[in-house]
Amino acid sequence: MKCKVSENPSIKEAYRLIEDGIRKRALVVILACCSASYEGRARSRLDAGERLIVIKPDGTFMVHQDRKVDPVNWQPPKSRSRAYIKRGSLYLESIRRDPEERLEVEIHEAHLVSYYLARDVHDLMVAGHENDMGDMIIMHPQLIEKGFRPVAREYAVASGFIDILGKDENGSLMIIELKSRKAGVSAVKQLKRYVDEFREDRVGVRGVLVAPSITHDAMEMLEEEGLEFREIEPPRELRSNRGVTLDNFL
Amino acid sequence: MKCKVSENPSIKEAYRLIEDGIRKRALVVILACCSASYEGRARSRLDAGERLIVIKPDGTFMVHQDRKVDPVNWQPPKSRSRAYIKRGSLYLESIRRDPEERLEVEIHEAHLVSYYLARDVHDLMVAGHENDMGDMIIMHPQLIEKGFRPVAREYAVASGFIDILGKDENGSLMIIELKSRKAGVSAVKQLKRYVDEFREDRVGVRGVLVAPSITHDAMEMLEEEGLEFREIEPPRELRSNRGVTLDNFL
DNA sequence: CGCTTTATGTCGTAC
DNA sequence: GTACGACGTAAAGCG
């Protein structure tokens, strides 16, 4: 039996089913009218309403309202959850250590209590990150321009890390800043800081912002600063080669 | 009847219940073995496993694994979801416009399908954000130091917004950067950028980072740059006065 | 609507 | 274990 379900359970039934689910390391799913108090890095109070409560076998605890992607209250993996009855009311508690945080949910009326012995071995395969863009450019430098040669990746400078450092066909230094999404002003500022560090030493340093698109403000600032933009889409292949390094090409 | 539930439903039963729930703007909750494909800003594929699927009345769509707080796949509010049967299999689809994104979930076996006509009018009351810290400092400037007078809030400069601008008892300009959590190197860099903009014009500008704590590296950088740190905890009162402005004190 | 910043961000990863 | 940066960040606030 993968699943155990109880509709409109009594307080005691609900309590037993929830504790049973937690002990069996099941995915516990509750639909109930509840209120919640949280105290930890911040502090919050949520008055009564009908919500979805989830307790995961890894210790994750969530209270979801009927809106938004994010839970309204939650605790992260490794938190310790339990149910208890106090003065005739059913409570759920989830405690995290370091930082010390506590979430308490009072269940006023449970409409559905269930748990699910879920087996799930697969992880998400995803493509389209900044890192994948870097891999792609290292493997196909001509995407930047003909004659471009990458020299270093994640190159450390005072103000941070340069995504890709390279040279153009004339031997001028090129600083590549990658963004996998639309680039904003902050990306231009970041690139400018890197370029400024090098321009102090020598002239003829080129700064290139690489992204699938750019905001209007960012484009203006880029032109003012004498920097360049290359429109490149992040790669879409799932399971792209991880760990592409410059060694492959030196 | 707040709740409608079906255990181990047939494909057709599951389909009907899910479509019914979506149409009634209920919170739809499914426990099922499924796989998922996403294509939009990025691209992803998730192979079969037993998971929790939630469709909210605001259009939010989530697939939760048995671990982590974040959903493994999701669509934001206002997405359009539907169920359909194709070649004898049950699918869920959620589509978002702008950016165009599509999430498709194939349900291999439904263990529990339910929907919940949830009423929830209350919003979370929370305390302890950066904004509350700002309010507190405007109301009690001596928290920064004796003689400190705030002059402007969210003051716009080229590189962003200065949280609080003020003067010390000698009339020197003070730039206050607030962080409600432990401050890291990035907070110091941000403060430094603001201070640099003003130091170009005049000397004697002080930069103060205000946070409950600070990382070691950040503290070192702060001292190198001649900036200051004030250890202040964000306030914990729920429902603190919103909309405190400088007008109250000028 | 687009842009910017915050967050109990969460999560991975290098040190 | 701590610190740092990326994220399909999501969500709020402002022009």
Side-chain angles (χ1 to χ4, degrees):
Chain A
M1 213 56 171
K2 285 259 160 222
C3 231
K4 199 126 191 198
V5 185
S6 175
E7 280 184 77
N8 302 307
S10 70
I11 284 184
K12 267 201 178 156
E13 272 180 282
Y15 165 78
R16 270 198 292 261
L17 204 54
I18 293 166
E19 276 288 302
D20 201 28
I22 293 172
R23 196 169 41 247
K24 285 184 172 148
R25 303 184 60 76
L27 188 64
V28 178
V29 174
I30 302 161
L31 300 174
C33 178
C34 66
S35 42
S37 301
Y38 155 78
E39 172 99 37
R41 286 167 293 177
R43 197 150 113 79
S44 76
R45 166 74 199 168
L46 179 64
D47 287 335
E50 292 171 343
R51 295 160 193 140
L52 163 67
I53 301 162
V54 178
I55 307 172
K56 295 189 177 187
D58 72 347
T60 300
F61 188 112
M62 304 187 294
V63 180
H64 272 276
Q65 290 187 289
D66 61 358
R67 46 195 185 265
K68 310 287 178 230
V69 171
D70 288 349
V72 63
N73 280 118
W74 74 95
Q75 290 282 48
K78 292 180 192 162
S79 304
R80 298 290 280 281
S81 302
R82 69 186 185 99
Y84 60 90
I85 296 173
K86 198 165 98 180
R87 274 184 247 104
S89 276
L90 176 58
Y91 291 85
L92 304 178
E93 177 191 63
S94 178
I95 291 177
R96 170 193 199 175
R97 307 276 178 208
D98 196 40
E100 185 83 24
E101 300 195 285
R102 180 170 183 272
L103 173 59
E104 185 186 68
V105 175
E106 179 177 357
I107 297 193
H108 307 292
E109 189 181 1
H111 293 102
L112 181 73
V113 175
S114 63
Y115 67 78
Y116 184 36
L117 293 159
R119 298 270 163 82
D120 185 356
V121 298
H122 289 296
D123 280 322
L124 187 69
M125 295 175 288
V126 65
H129 300 320
E130 188 177 298
N131 199 30
D132 300 326
M133 280 184 86
D135 290 352
M136 183 172 67
I137 287 165
I138 296 296
M139 298 188 62
H140 307 286
Q142 71 277 15
L143 285 168
I144 299 297
E145 69 180 27
K146 188 173 151 294
F148 173 68
R149 280 202 325 118
V151 171
R153 200 156 171 197
E154 300 297 320
Y155 184 80
V157 293
S159 51
F161 290 83
I162 293 173
D163 288 330
I164 296 178
L165 197 65
K167 298 202 167 182
D168 69 10
E169 60 178 354
N170 304 318
S172 292
L173 202 61
M174 290 181 78
I175 293 171
I176 313 289
E177 173 63 28
L178 304 174
K179 288 291 161 203
S180 62
R181 316 286 158 227
K182 182 185 270 204
V185 187
S186 60
V188 180
K189 285 185 197 157
Q190 197 177 342
L191 177 58
K192 180 178 163 14
R193 286 201 297 280
Y194 296 149
V195 171
D196 284 349
E197 275 193 50
F198 276 90
R199 279 189 175 153
E200 283 176 15
D201 300 342
R202 6 176 178 169
V203 279
V205 177
R206 298 168 59 191
V208 183
L209 179 59
V210 173
S213 61
I214 184 168
T215 67
H216 180 263
D217 289 2
M219 191 48 133
E220 276 194 350
M221 186 182 302
L222 204 71
E223 287 171 353
E224 266 176 40
E225 297 291 344
L227 304 171
E228 303 165 52
F229 177 65
R230 291 287 175 284
E231 182 182 320
I232 297 186
E233 292 286 333
R236 308 294 261 174
E237 306 86 46
L238 296 173
R239 274 183 181 295
S240 72
N241 263 351
R242 292 294 158 141
V244 174
T245 69
L246 287 166
D247 299 338
N248 305 22
F249 304 89
L250 296 181
Chain B
M1 212 56 172
K2 284 257 160 226
C3 234
K4 200 127 190 199
V5 185
S6 175
E7 279 184 78
N8 301 308
S10 71
I11 284 185
K12 267 199 177 157
E13 272 181 282
Y15 165 79
R16 270 197 293 259
L17 204 55
I18 293 167
E19 276 289 301
D20 201 27
I22 293 172
R23 197 169 40 246
K24 285 183 173 150
R25 302 184 61 75
L27 188 64
V28 178
V29 175
I30 302 161
L31 300 174
C33 178
C34 66
S35 42
S37 301
Y38 155 78
E39 172 99 36
R41 287 168 292 177
R43 197 152 114 77
S44 76
R45 166 75 198 170
L46 179 64
D47 287 333
E50 293 172 341
R51 297 163 190 136
L52 163 68
I53 302 162
V54 178
I55 307 172
K56 295 189 178 188
D58 72 345
T60 300
F61 187 112
M62 304 187 294
V63 181
H64 271 277
Q65 291 187 290
D66 61 359
R67 47 195 183 266
K68 310 286 177 230
V69 171
D70 288 349
V72 63
N73 279 117
W74 73 95
Q75 290 284 47
K78 292 181 191 162
S79 305
R80 298 289 279 282
S81 301
R82 69 186 186 99
Y84 59 91
I85 295 174
K86 198 164 98 180
R87 274 185 245 105
S89 275
L90 176 59
Y91 291 85
L92 304 178
E93 177 192 63
S94 178
I95 291 176
R96 168 191 199 175
R97 306 277 177 208
D98 196 41
E100 184 85 24
E101 300 195 285
R102 180 169 182 272
L103 173 59
E104 185 185 68
V105 175
E106 179 177 358
I107 298 193
H108 306 292
E109 189 181 1
H111 292 102
L112 181 74
V113 175
S114 64
Y115 67 78
Y116 184 37
L117 292 159
R119 298 268 163 82
D120 185 357
V121 298
H122 288 297
D123 280 321
L124 187 71
M125 295 175 288
V126 64
H129 342 271
E130 185 179 302
N131 199 27
D132 299 329
M133 279 182 85
D135 291 352
M136 183 172 66
I137 286 165
I138 296 296
M139 298 187 62
H140 307 287
Q142 70 276 17
L143 285 168
I144 298 296
E145 68 180 28
K146 188 173 152 292
F148 174 67
R149 281 203 325 119
V151 170
R153 199 154 172 199
E154 301 297 317
Y155 184 80
V157 293
S159 51
F161 290 84
I162 292 174
D163 289 329
I164 297 177
L165 197 65
K167 298 201 167 183
D168 69 11
E169 60 178 354
N170 304 319
S172 292
L173 203 60
M174 291 181 79
I175 294 171
I176 312 289
E177 172 65 28
L178 305 174
K179 288 291 160 202
S180 63
R181 315 287 159 226
K182 182 184 271 203
V185 193
S186 58
V188 180
K189 284 185 191 163
Q190 197 177 343
L191 176 59
K192 179 178 163 11
R193 286 201 297 277
Y194 297 148
V195 171
D196 283 350
E197 275 194 51
F198 276 91
R199 281 188 174 154
E200 283 175 16
D201 300 342
R202 8 176 178 169
V203 278
V205 177
R206 298 170 58 192
V208 183
L209 179 57
V210 174
S213 60
I214 185 168
T215 66
H216 180 263
D217 287 4
M219 191 48 132
E220 276 195 350
M221 187 183 300
L222 203 73
E223 287 170 353
E224 265 175 41
E225 297 292 343
L227 304 170
E228 303 164 53
F229 176 67
R230 290 286 175 287
E231 183 182 318
I232 297 185
E233 292 287 334
R236 310 288 273 174
E237 307 85 46
L238 295 174
R239 275 182 179 294
S240 72
N241 265 350
R242 290 296 156 139
V244 173
T245 69
L246 286 165
D247 299 339
N248 304 22
F249 304 89
L250 296 181

